[in-house]
Amino acid sequence: EVPLLESGGGLVQPGGSLSLSCAASGFTFSSYAMNWVRQAPGKGLEWVSGITGSGGGTYYADSVKGRFTISRDNSKNTLFVQMNSLRAEDTAVYFCAKTVSGDFYAPFDYWGRGTLVTVSS
Amino acid sequence: DIQMTQSPSSLSASVGDRVTITCRASRGISNSLAWYQQKPGKAPKLLLYVASRLESGVPSRFSGSGSGTDYTLTISSLQPEDFATYFCQQYYSSPHTFGGGTKVEIK
């Protein structure tokens, strides 16, 4: 198993901010691209953002570009996403997911259990 | 962005049935296609990638095929543990878009 443990979810008002973390263990964290994927209640999967192993390349869905910032701390084996200007439509379970290789353009072989973000007044 | 159209959105089948799910990309994705299984309240699980390569530990009753824009997931003989929702995903370009999902229910 490759544990990925998300944290930081919760209830936030529209327009507010929240930061999620994903602690990784069991693999050489810096060697793999990482991603955030979300799932609104009862809905499908939506890829949100990804980052290369070095952190030098970041990618975003149009729906979050300019509001979310992905980052990683390879010394602490941790992935982050800073979410600003949150909207009701950002309400979802947020999963972190590891790619099968160091390449960003690769599928996701391990996923965390997810953390729920609820944006509501 | 590449759009992924998955069909059907749901299906009812019996244990032992052969099940086929299709996924169509809005443009060619050069077999950069993965299939995931998700059960309620759980994270998705990778089944296949590069359209037809079985992930380690996944039963051989799951198979994938296709090329260009059209891809298929087949379950050769549906087992009780296979009742779940299945998603395709292209990772050919960013954003890594998912299909809308296919819920496989018990008939």
Side-chain angles (χ1 to χ4, degrees):
Chain A
E1 284 299 318
V2 178
L4 295 170
L5 186 61
E6 303 94 339
S7 61
L11 175 64
V12 61
Q13 293 189 340
S17 298
L18 207 59
S19 180
L20 305 183
S21 301
C22 172
S25 61
F27 64 101
T28 306
F29 183 67
S30 60
S31 295
Y32 295 89
M34 297 292 296
N35 299 267
W36 290 99
V37 178
R38 69 185 180 184
Q39 187 168 36
K43 302 297 184 182
L45 300 170
E46 180 187 14
W47 176 83
V48 172
S49 184
I51 187 168
T52 57
S54 67
T58 57
Y59 306 82
Y60 298 94
D62 287 345
S63 58
V64 307
K65 200 172 295 183
R67 300 188 299 122
F68 288 16
T69 302
I70 191 171
S71 62
R72 63 192 297 160
D73 184 340
N74 286 344
S75 68
K76 296 183 178 179
N77 292 348
T78 304
L79 175 72
F80 305 97
V81 62
Q82 175 66 40
M83 305 185 294
N84 299 328
S85 304
L86 283 162
R87 307 165 179 166
E89 54 265 35
D90 295 317
T91 295
V93 173
Y94 285 73
F95 298 99
C96 69
K98 168 189 168 293
T99 57
V100 302
S101 70
D103 189 0
F104 169 73
Y105 297 98
F108 309 156
D109 57 351
Y110 287 99
W111 300 60
R113 295 184 177 183
T115 187
L116 176 63
V117 172
T118 302
V119 184
S120 174
S121 54
Chain B
D1 297 0
I2 297 176
Q3 309 303 318
M4 303 300 290
T5 303
Q6 193 173 334
S7 63
S9 57
S10 66
L11 65 90
S12 295
S14 302
V15 172
D17 284 354
R18 181 181 182 89
V19 168
T20 300
I21 299 168
T22 62
C23 198
R24 172 166 287 176
S26 58
R27 58 183 175 94
I29 56 173
S30 297
N31 287 5
S32 296
L33 191 283
W35 290 98
Y36 299 88
Q37 176 194 68
Q38 187 181 33
K39 296 183 178 180
K42 301 293 187 180
K45 173 187 174 183
L46 178 64
L47 298 176
L48 298 113
Y49 58 104
V50 199
S52 61
R53 189 172 301 173
L54 206 63
E55 172 71 345
S56 176
V58 174
S60 59
R61 63 180 179 273
F62 291 92
S63 63
S65 63
S67 63
T69 61
D70 296 327
Y71 298 87
T72 299
L73 170 69
T74 299
I75 309 172
S76 60
S77 177
L78 199 65
Q79 297 303 299
E81 60 267 31
D82 301 336
F83 291 95
T85 301
Y86 295 84
F87 295 92
C88 61
Q89 180 208 23
Q90 67 82 17
Y91 49 91
Y92 179 76
S93 70
S94 181
H96 293 339
T97 41
F98 290 88
T102 297
K103 186 174 184 179
V104 177
E105 299 176 299
I106 300 172
K107 181 181 285 184

